[in-house]
Amino acid sequence: MNTKAKSCRFVLIRHGQTYWNKKQKLQGQTNIPLNETGKQQARKLAQTLKDYDFQVCFSSPLSRAVDTAKAVIGDRPIELIKDELLIEQGYSVCEGQWQPLVYRLPFCRMHHYVSRPEKYVPAVGAENMQDMINRGGRVLKELLEPAAEQYDTVLVGAHGCIICGILDWLENVPVERFWDNVLQNCGYAVLEYCNGEWKILEKH
C-alpha cells in the first residue's frame, strides 16, 4: 500500500518597517519597534496570508518580528515560540549608525557589507555573511525540520539577513551573492518540506 509522504509548509515573513528602517540606521540586534507604516504593512500581510491554517509560529525574540508575527496570527489560537536562531545578525558598535554614510567610508567595517558581502569583516564575536548562511542551515535542520514532524503549516517571523541565510542555504547561493534573496519589509517566502527534501515555492 502506498502511503503519501507527510509534507509541511513554512511561511517565512520579514518584519514590518521600524523607526530605524525609516531613518536608514543599522539595527542588527537592537530592539527597535515597528513604526506606524510597519504596523500597516503587518496588517496588510495578515490579509494576504489570511487563508493559511497556521498551527504554530516560531519567531525571533526581537519585538519587530514578534509584533509582525502576532499581526499575522490574528485570532488563531496558536502558540508563538521565540527562538534565538531566528534573531537578526548583530553589528556590535555599528548598530545605530547611518547606513548611507558607513557604507561609503572605506575605513568603516560596514563598508563592504552590501556591495561586497564576501569581504565584510564583523567585530570580534559577531557573524560574517557565511556564518549567516550556515545559521540558516541550522534553522532548517534544528528548528524547522523537527517542526515538520508535528505540524502541517508553520509561520516563521524573522529578519532580512537571516531569511537570506535560510534561502541562500537552500539554493546554494555563494556568499558573493548573499543579498540575492533579500525580502522587503513584510515580504514573505513559502517553503515546503516533504520526504527529507526542501522546495522554495514562492518569494514575494
Side-chain angles (χ1 to χ4, degrees):
M1 182 175 68
N2 291 329
T3 302
K4 186 178 178 181
K6 181 184 181 305
S7 66
C8 181
R9 289 200 174 185
F10 295 87
V11 181
L12 278 57
I13 62 172
R14 184 182 176 187
H15 62 80
Q17 186 185 87
T18 71
Y19 299 97
W20 279 18
N21 285 147
K22 179 70 173 177
K23 294 180 178 180
Q24 295 183 281
K25 295 173 71 173
L26 287 164
Q27 290 182 122
Q29 296 176 0
T30 304
N31 198 14
I32 307 301
L34 299 176
N35 62 13
E36 288 306 314
T37 297
K39 293 174 184 177
Q40 292 173 10
Q41 291 171 333
R43 289 192 290 268
K44 183 177 180 181
L45 180 61
Q47 281 298 305
T48 300
L49 303 178
K50 62 183 174 60
D51 294 329
Y52 280 89
D53 185 21
F54 296 117
Q55 296 163 316
V56 71
C57 174
F58 296 100
S59 175
S60 158
L62 298 178
S63 66
R64 58 189 184 269
V66 171
D67 291 343
T68 302
K70 285 181 177 178
V72 173
I73 291 170
D75 59 3
R76 295 175 181 87
I78 67 172
E79 185 178 9
L80 186 152
I81 302 168
K82 300 175 186 178
D83 196 292
E84 291 284 341
L85 274 177
L86 294 168
I87 201 167
E88 184 58 300
Q89 184 179 24
Y91 306 128
S92 185
V93 295
C94 292
E95 294 188 11
Q97 294 184 0
W98 192 49
Q99 292 166 301
L101 176 62
V102 296
Y103 293 161
R104 288 202 309 265
L105 298 175
F107 55 83
C108 179
R109 67 171 62 250
M110 300 303 298
H111 178 61
H112 293 297
Y113 183 69
V114 172
S115 61
R116 301 191 68 182
E118 75 279 9
K119 289 185 170 294
Y120 168 62
V121 180
V124 175
E127 296 163 299
N128 63 28
M129 312 317 278
Q130 185 60 58
D131 291 332
M132 293 305 297
I133 295 174
N134 294 342
R135 176 146 66 90
R138 289 185 61 203
V139 170
L140 295 166
K141 296 295 182 183
E142 299 177 22
L143 185 63
L144 303 190
E145 289 181 13
E149 299 177 4
Q150 303 180 57
Y151 307 106
D152 298 319
T153 312
V154 177
L155 180 65
V156 181
H159 306 266
C161 194
I162 184 57
I163 291 175
C164 274
I166 294 167
L167 299 179
D168 288 354
W169 176 274
L170 288 174
E171 294 186 330
N172 198 29
V173 173
V175 70
E176 292 85 355
R177 293 169 40 213
F178 181 87
W179 298 110
D180 282 9
N181 280 308
V182 68
L183 303 179
Q184 299 303 309
N185 290 122
C186 278
Y188 70 97
V190 182
L191 314 181
E192 182 179 64
Y193 184 70
C194 182
N195 198 29
E197 298 290 333
W198 282 98
K199 290 182 181 179
I200 299 174
L201 303 180
E202 302 175 44
K203 287 186 281 187
H204 301 274

